[in-house]
Amino acid sequence: MTRVWKWNRPVTVREVLEDLQKERSIAYTTVMTVLDNLHQKGWVRREAEGRAYRYEAVSTRAAYAAALMNEAWSQSDNAAAALVAFFGMMSEEQRQALTDAVRIAQLPETPDENPGSAGDRSGR
């Protein structure tokens, strides 16, 4: 996924392969299998281009990270304890980013930002 996000455009197996080979030896079939697995899991979409496919990320790296965090958090039987432990692992820079994110998330929405919600942040 890192390589797909890096270019921020549809990429071929060959492009990913050539980029990876700058760092290590890897087979074309390995890259093809990984991209196919990512497609099967819904993380990338693909379009045929001749005899090959072009793969494109379905979501941003930030959305992917958020989904991973949400999945990990949902596995805890004590959400508050899991958050306290997680916060304890954060650097000062990460804590500041969290503070900024909470502040942004608490800003009131304007009707133009989320039509149909009428300011109801509960999702009902």
Side-chain angles (χ1 to χ4, degrees):
M1 283 304 302
T2 300
R3 304 303 165 142
V4 177
W5 285 318
K6 176 181 167 182
W7 285 302
N8 198 28
R9 62 167 174 78
V11 297
T12 64
V13 171
R14 177 74 51 204
E15 288 173 314
V16 175
L17 173 72
E18 289 173 358
D19 194 45
L20 287 169
Q21 285 180 331
K22 293 175 186 173
E23 298 170 14
R24 64 182 183 273
S25 178
I26 189 167
Y28 181 93
T29 54
T30 301
V31 177
M32 184 174 62
T33 299
V34 169
L35 284 169
D36 186 59
N37 288 342
L38 290 169
H39 177 257
Q40 297 300 320
K41 291 179 180 184
W43 287 105
V44 296
R45 64 178 143 263
R46 68 183 182 194
E47 273 193 42
E49 183 176 279
R51 294 177 50 207
Y53 286 108
R54 283 205 172 266
Y55 294 86
E56 182 175 22
V58 170
S59 66
T60 64
R61 190 177 199 141
Y64 174 74
L68 288 177
M69 288 187 285
N70 188 54
E71 182 180 334
W73 189 32
S74 69
Q75 300 299 312
S76 173
D77 59 352
N78 185 336
L83 284 173
V84 169
F86 180 62
F87 297 156
M89 296 176 195
M90 291 179 154
S91 67
E92 184 55 38
E93 183 178 308
Q94 291 169 322
R95 282 191 202 98
Q96 186 58 53
L98 175 65
T99 301
D100 293 345
V102 168
R103 186 175 28 78
I104 291 167
Q106 291 176 339
L107 290 175
E109 291 182 17
T110 62
D112 293 326
E113 289 179 24
N114 192 358
S117 73
D120 180 10
R121 296 182 65 91
S122 67
R124 293 180 286 221

